[in-house]
């Protein structure tokens, strides 16, 4: 079984540019999550999809961030325009339906905004 | 709002020594509790979880954690450290009915030969 895959693994962009991160969850996992870890700090929840619907987007920092999951399969997270404080590691995770089923994490995308 | 505190951003032990990584949560209602491990250049991997029932939870790689409601703690232990245990460990909690995890700030474990 393929795990959660994220692309790209690294991205370096300039302030003001746009970046799109992609996450492919484990096949059959309806729940998809985005998390972010800013340098040296805790991993913070961004949002949660159930299939193609946003279940909880309370962690999205501002309207420069747009997440989509068209068709309920892969998801994208777009940052436009990027700011310096957006630098960090963006993790995607997926899980099955059960309430306390474990999250399976991808390796993350390291975003550096210069 | 739920918060998770991990005492010690860095812990160093000798190979063969006891590993103890501390985690406290803030919720008055016991949440679901998890420990994840991250090896370099990899994603987070679930070590163990507590939902309900037995308060001593055994996980992979010889790790275990004990849920103590009176102390709002969920400390992670391993009797004998191996070099391969060197990694960053994260404690996390989720309130029942909400699937989003609240993470602690992580503890980097170093194992000395």
């Amino acid at each position: 079984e393929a795990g959660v895959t994220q692309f790209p693994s690294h991205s370096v962009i300039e302030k003001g540019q746009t970046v799109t991160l992609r996450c492919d969850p484990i096949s059959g996992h309806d729940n998809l999550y985005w998390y972010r870890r800013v340098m040296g700090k805790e991993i913070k929840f961004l949002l949660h999809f159930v299939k193609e619907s946003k279940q909880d987007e309370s962690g999205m920092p501002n309207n420069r961030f747009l997440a989509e999951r068209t068709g309920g399969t892969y998801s994208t997270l777009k940052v436009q325009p990027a700011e310096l404080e957006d630098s960090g590691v963006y993790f995607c995770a997926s899980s099955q339906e059960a309430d306390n089923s474990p999250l399976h994490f991808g390796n993350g995308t390291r975003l550096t905004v210069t | 709002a739920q918060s998770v505190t991990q005492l010690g951003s860095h812990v160093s032990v000798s190979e063969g020594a006891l590993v103890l990584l501390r985690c406290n949560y803030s919720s008055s209602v016991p949440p679901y509790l998890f420990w994840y491990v991250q090896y370099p250049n990899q994603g987070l991997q679930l070590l163990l979880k507590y939902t309900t029932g037995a308060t001593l939870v055994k996980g992979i790689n010889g790790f275990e954690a004990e849920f103590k409601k009176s102390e709002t703690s969920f400390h992670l232990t391993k009797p004998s450290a191996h070099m391969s245990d060197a990694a960053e460990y994260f404690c996390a909690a989720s309130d029942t009915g909400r699937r989003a995890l609240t993470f602690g700030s992580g503890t980097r474990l170093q194992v000395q030969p």
Side-chain angles (χ1 to χ4, degrees), chain A residues 31 35 37 56 100 107, chain B residues 43 49 51 88 98-99 101:
Chain A
N31 295 277
Y35 287 83
R37 190 183 194 193
D56 181 352
N100 59 2
N107 290 354
Chain B
K49 66 178 183 180
T51 53
E88 191 161 20
R98 183 170 188 264
R99 297 184 187 177
L101 292 177

Side-chain angles (χ1 to χ4, degrees), chain A residues 9-10 16 29 31 47 52 58 63 69 73 96 98 103 111 113:
Chain A
S9 56
H10 293 82
H29 282 192
N31 295 277
L47 88 160
E52 66 275 11
S58 60
N63 60 10
R69 192 182 182 196
T73 55
Q96 292 181 326
L103 299 189
L111 174 65
V113 183

Side-chain angles (χ1 to χ4, degrees), chain A residues 1 3 8 11 18 25 35 39-41 48 53 58 60 64 66 69 84 90 102 105 113:
Chain A
E1 174 184 81
S11 180
T18 297
Y35 287 83
M39 178 85 80
K41 297 195 173 181
H48 170 208
S53 299
S58 60
M60 294 289 265
R64 294 186 293 103
L66 175 64
R69 192 182 182 196
L84 298 179
Y90 290 77
F105 281 81
V113 183

Side-chain angles (χ1 to χ4, degrees), chain B residues 20-98:
Chain B
L20 171 59
L21 304 182
R22 299 178 186 274
C23 172
N24 289 84
Y25 63 91
S26 67
S27 174
S28 59
V29 176
Y32 296 153
L33 295 162
F34 307 81
W35 275 99
Y36 283 86
V37 60
Q38 185 183 24
Y39 299 102
N41 300 315
Q42 295 186 25
L44 281 75
Q45 179 182 359
L46 181 68
L47 273 179
L48 49 81
K49 66 178 183 180
Y50 169 79
T51 53
T52 57
T55 56
L56 183 62
V57 181
K58 294 187 184 300
I60 61 172
N61 302 338
F63 284 93
E64 61 183 35
E66 185 171 11
F67 168 65
K68 291 187 177 180
K69 183 178 176 181
S70 61
E71 298 178 6
T72 61
S73 69
F74 191 58
H75 302 330
L76 181 71
T77 60
K78 182 174 181 177
S80 176
H82 294 159
M83 296 297 291
S84 59
D85 295 327
E88 191 161 20
Y89 293 78
F90 295 91
C91 183
S94 70
D95 293 327
T96 54
R98 183 170 188 264

Side-chain angles (χ1 to χ4, degrees), chain A residues 52-95:
Chain A
E52 66 275 11
S53 299
K54 292 176 185 175
Q55 182 77 11
D56 181 352
E57 53 184 327
S58 60
M60 294 289 265
N62 52 60
N63 60 10
R64 294 186 293 103
F65 289 75
L66 175 64
E68 294 180 320
R69 192 182 182 196
T70 307
T73 55
Y74 71 91
S75 174
T76 58
L77 180 64
K78 182 192 295 187
V79 185
Q80 179 182 29
E83 298 289 345
L84 298 179
E85 64 264 25
D86 300 332
S87 296
V89 181
Y90 290 77
F91 291 102
C92 176
S94 71
S95 72

